[in-house]
Amino acid sequence: ARSAAVLARSGAPAMEAYAVGDLVYVASSDAAFVRGRITCLSPAAKPVPSRLSFGSASGRLSGGGPAEPDVEVEIQGTGALLRAPVSQLRRRFELAEGATVQDNTALDYMNDATILDNLRARHEADEIYTYTASVLLAVNPYKDVPGLYGEEQCARYCGKHIGVLPPHPYAIADRAYRALTREHRNQGLLISGESGAGKTETAKIVMQFLAFASGSGSGHADSIQERVLRAQPILESFGNAVTMRNSNSSRFGKYNRVFFD
């Protein structure tokens, strides 16, 4: 097997160079990406498959598309060999067992595969929040995570800069509240996601912190949350739908305004 880097054929768009032994992710129709290691390079142009599948232990995948170099990858855990075009690879860095990063920007290689793998590993460890710079990503655990919320946690995050403590909606809310009181300017928090991602719950968590930080106490926070929840039936009358992950999915956006004296 050649150990030289794979280069795109003459006239084709420039491709990232790989070498035998490089750790990579390979696109998979079953699991988004799977881990592997390059075992062989081929500079010959091959058709680009539109999707990859791991139904067989080895072999070539066919499909249409522009020609490009391909590589042979040994799939981690199974030892299966797969030939895949360069465009279906992503660079990978091996972390210690169970290790994750709290901010995706700290990943050695930042691409769609490494971000998804980091989010998956953190979710499995009940670390459901991850930063990408100042953006907070949340993966719904669909269960209660003990000790993640409450007044004790609110007190921990009050006055702390983002990154000092583990990723959390409290940190984002604290940053907004401190900017509000320091600059006397309105602040906005955008909470977005697919059906069942936990947008409504995250809004409640943010309001819980804002009530705590403003000195309103837990009773006032509960009152605010109760009013928001009581408004839900009215909003739902405009149209909800059943999805695969949510039996009462909103078909509209929600805009909540919280005023501070």
Side-chain angles (χ1 to χ4, degrees), residues 37 104 119 131:
R37 180 179 62 86
N104 286 321
L119 293 176
Y131 289 128

Side-chain angles (χ1 to χ4, degrees), residues 6-9 12 15 41-49 60-71 83-87:
V6 177
L7 299 176
R9 66 187 179 90
M15 294 287 182
L41 307 177
S42 172
K46 301 296 178 184
V48 180
R60 179 177 301 284
L61 298 165
S62 61
E68 64 174 273
D70 65 358
V71 298
R83 296 199 73 87
V86 173
S87 63

